[in-house]
Amino acid sequence: IEQFNWHDVVPRNIAIKQRIVDADPLENGVRKALNFGHTIGHGVESLMLQDGNQKLLHGEAIAVGMIAESYISAALSLISEEELALITQTILRYYQLPYIAEQQHAEILKLIGNDKKNSGKQNRFSLLKGIGNFSIDNYVEEALIIEALNYYNAKLA
């Protein structure tokens, strides 16, 4: 995706989201795909709101989550390293995203633990299964979430 027109992309994406929501209004299946990037993204967003030092738009927080959750997808062999690199480079081309200090990782894990998608004490993620496809209800261990945050930080440099 070298260049694209936002006026084309936004209406197309709204239509896709509407079809998914119409097909699964109670979020029992395919609609969970829309949660990609949101598990870590909401943790980062909540942390930044608590911190008060750094304001982050919702979309920016989700972009952080998309990079980190793409890393998780690659670590679980759901996407290739090439797909991970493409996703990461594309997002970073369009967004100026913040560094997430290592001392903030524990708080992000705690916030992720409160996510509505979790089952019991298990962190559940909607991940990529190739670009354009998804895998829902993936259990992800905290160590892999930390790896994903470290990957994200490393790509900012």
Side-chain angles (χ1 to χ4, degrees):
I1 304 174
E2 199 53 43
Q3 267 191 318
F4 58 88
N5 182 336
W6 288 105
H7 297 289
D8 296 332
V9 171
V10 172
R12 180 174 171 254
N13 287 330
I14 290 171
I16 291 168
K17 184 173 183 176
Q18 186 63 55
R19 280 196 312 271
I20 292 171
V21 170
D22 289 345
D24 184 11
L26 300 178
E27 199 171 341
N28 293 320
V30 68
R31 184 169 170 180
K32 291 180 181 183
L34 299 177
N35 293 327
F36 170 67
H38 284 72
T39 302
I40 291 176
H42 283 157
V44 169
E45 183 178 31
S46 295
L47 175 74
M48 296 300 175
L49 286 171
Q50 286 176 2
D51 229 4
N53 297 330
Q54 198 166 10
K55 296 297 179 212
L56 196 62
L57 297 173
H58 176 73
E60 293 169 330
I62 302 311
V64 171
M66 290 172 74
I67 291 170
E69 293 179 27
S70 293
Y71 174 86
I72 293 169
S73 297
L76 297 176
S77 300
L78 297 171
I79 65 172
S80 69
E81 292 294 325
E82 293 78 17
E83 289 169 314
L84 171 60
L86 177 62
I87 292 164
T88 301
Q89 291 164 4
T90 301
I91 292 170
L92 292 177
R93 184 178 305 131
Y94 294 102
Y95 292 96
Q96 291 286 115
L97 299 173
Y99 181 83
I100 309 294
E102 283 187 44
Q103 58 266 32
Q104 295 175 310
H105 292 181
E107 183 62 24
I108 291 171
L109 287 175
K110 182 178 164 191
L111 292 163
I112 287 171
N114 297 329
D115 193 278
K116 68 177 183 170
K117 295 178 295 303
N118 292 340
S119 174
K121 293 187 183 278
Q122 293 188 338
N123 297 312
R124 298 287 179 177
F125 284 71
S126 293
L127 299 172
L128 297 176
K129 191 172 184 179
I131 293 177
N133 294 304
F134 62 93
S135 175
I136 59 174
D137 294 328
N138 295 277
Y139 168 67
V140 178
E141 294 185 14
E142 288 186 349
L144 185 52
I145 298 169
I146 297 297
E147 275 184 42
L149 291 169
N150 288 331
Y151 167 83
Y152 162 79
N153 278 338
K155 293 304 174 180
L156 293 179

